[in-house]
């Protein structure tokens, strides 16, 4: 297997594959980020083509649409007859995912966005949303079984898998924005912080997917992997998708702007939980 992109998710994918006995080659645009997975047994390649040569599958884990298109363009030299299945596990627009299928050598492409973070991937506890021709999806069944605890086939349109992923991320990011406002309001009212925390974990109005960020919102260091900049990008993609279908999502655009402002105020490389700092700054202003 080849893993292209050594961000937090790419490194987790490589570690999981190594732990399950796969031979893994890795590549990253910026040298040096693959050190920990190389130490664990991966081989670092000098280019995407070098990584993808003579492997069964290529997993792309990249930051955005442009990065996915750029890396796919660097794989077009693969022979159409012997090319591996290329799976993009990045969060991109449905339109970009469809474009990637058309430009993939031999059209051997699968969309495989991940529901879960790097820690759940490393533990094999994430969900995979799979889109593309069934034959291509099936070719990588051993990989899906090793990486995901649950996998859902979303149809032969790769854009469908990305649509589900964007809707999921929108719910997460919007929910976190509301919880951050509630926490900031509770702290401003000088509520007992321990009791506030207990209520947030117990109240059914707080989605379970937000529980792992509650301590960070209340008083953490925001050192998680999902940055406010990436959060803004994902909500923007969800809003743009809706607009392409004739729908206006005003709340999504508001949430997008909140994460953009958090990034602009110095929290761009901090976890999405840092959106609470924007609320606190506005109070002091």
């Amino acid at each position: 297997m080849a893993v292209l992109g050594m961000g937090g998710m790419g490194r987790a994918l490589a570690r999981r594959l190594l732990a399950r006995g796969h031979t893994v080659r890795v590549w990253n645009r910026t040298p040096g980020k693959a050190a920990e997975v190389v130490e664990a047994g991966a081989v670092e390649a000098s280019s995407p083509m070098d990584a993808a040569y003579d492997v069964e599958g290529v997993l792309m884990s990249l930051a955005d649409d442009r990065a996915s298109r750029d890396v796919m363009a660097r794989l077009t030299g693969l022979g159409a007859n012997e090319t591996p299945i290329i799976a993009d596990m990045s969060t991109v627009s449905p339109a970009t995912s469809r474009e990637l299928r058309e430009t993939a050598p031999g059209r051997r492409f699968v969309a495989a966005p991940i529901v879960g973070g790097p820690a759940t991937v490393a533990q094999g506890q994430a969900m995979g949303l799979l889109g593309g021709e069934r034959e291509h999806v099936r070719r990588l069944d051993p990989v899906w079984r090793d990486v995901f605890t649950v996998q859902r086939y979303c149809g032969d349109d790769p854009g469908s898998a990305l649509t589900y992923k964007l809707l999921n991320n929108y719910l997460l990011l919007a929910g976190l924005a509301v919880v951050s406002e509630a926490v900031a309001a509770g702290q401003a009212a000088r509520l007992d912080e321990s009791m506030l925390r207990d209520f947030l974990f117990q109240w059914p109005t707080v989605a379970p997917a937000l529980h792992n960020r509650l301590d960070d919102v209340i008083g953490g260091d925001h050192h998680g992997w999902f940055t406010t900049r990436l959060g803004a990008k994902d909500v923007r993609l969800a809003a743009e998708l809706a607009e392409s279908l004739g729908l206006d999502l005003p709340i999504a655009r508001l949430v997008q702007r909140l994460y953009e402002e958090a990034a602009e105020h110095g929290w761009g490389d901090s976890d999405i939980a840092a959106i609470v700092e924007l609320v606190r700054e506005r109070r002091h202003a």
Side-chain angles (χ1 to χ4, degrees):
M1 296 300 299
V3 180
L4 308 183
M6 288 286 100
M9 193 68 81
R11 293 196 301 272
L13 283 167
R15 289 198 306 271
R16 179 65 184 174
L17 291 170
L18 288 166
R20 301 296 290 177
H22 294 267
T23 300
V24 179
R25 290 196 206 123
V26 298
W27 171 84
N28 192 67
R29 188 184 305 272
T30 305
K33 294 190 71 174
E36 68 176 75
V37 294
V38 170
E39 188 174 318
V43 175
E44 186 167 14
S46 60
S47 69
M49 279 287 291
D50 184 33
Y53 175 73
D54 199 28
V55 298
E56 294 180 38
V58 176
L59 309 182
M60 303 198 308
S61 179
L62 303 162
D64 53 29
D65 295 53
R66 180 177 179 178
S68 288
R69 288 194 297 265
D70 287 350
V71 171
M72 182 65 81
R74 299 177 67 176
L75 295 173
T76 55
L78 291 169
N81 293 329
E82 67 275 2
T83 189
I85 305 298
I86 301 175
D88 189 20
M89 309 181 86
S90 319
T91 302
V92 298
S93 73
T96 291
S97 190
R98 296 178 186 118
E99 177 186 331
L100 293 173
R101 177 171 64 178
E102 296 306 311
T103 57
R107 297 180 83 250
R108 295 178 183 171
F109 176 80
V110 173
I114 300 168
V115 177
T120 56
V121 169
Q123 297 160 7
Q125 296 298 310
M127 172 186 284
L129 304 174
L130 307 175
E133 293 184 27
R134 274 195 177 274
E135 176 189 350
H136 299 333
V137 172
R138 196 173 294 118
R139 281 266 305 275
L140 291 182
D141 272 348
V143 174
W144 312 138
R145 287 195 297 268
D146 284 344
V147 171
F148 301 129
T149 187
V150 175
Q151 49 184 290
R152 295 294 300 272
Y153 179 62
C154 303
D156 57 12
D157 173 14
S160 294
L162 271 304
T163 300
Y164 286 118
K165 174 63 188 291
L166 290 174
L167 294 176
N168 173 78
N169 281 17
Y170 172 45
L171 290 170
L172 168 67
L173 291 155
L176 185 60
V178 173
V179 165
S180 294
E181 291 189 348
V183 167
Q187 290 173 329
R190 300 185 182 279
L191 296 180
D192 179 274
E193 204 162 270
S194 178
M195 183 176 291
L196 176 62
R197 179 186 183 277
D198 287 346
F199 279 140
L200 290 169
F201 274 100
Q202 294 172 19
W203 283 338
T205 46
V206 178
L210 299 175
H211 287 179
N212 67 342
R213 283 188 164 87
L214 288 179
D215 286 330
D216 198 2
V217 171
I218 293 168
D221 53 21
H222 313 316
H223 282 167
W225 68 277
F226 192 1
T227 67
T228 59
R229 190 174 289 111
L230 290 176
K233 180 263 296 183
D234 286 3
V235 181
R236 173 180 58 79
L237 291 177
E240 290 176 349
L241 169 64
E243 288 168 4
S244 73
L245 301 171
L247 296 173
D248 180 32
L249 302 185
I251 295 176
R253 286 302 190 184
L254 175 60
V255 173
Q256 172 194 338
R257 186 58 193 150
L258 289 173
Y259 284 98
E260 288 173 345
E261 288 185 26
E264 292 164 1
H265 281 68
W267 302 98
D269 295 322
S270 301
D271 189 77
I272 52 176
I275 195 173
V276 70
E277 304 301 342
L278 183 66
V279 183
R280 291 169 178 150
E281 284 182 8
R282 286 176 167 174
R283 173 178 181 243
H284 291 303

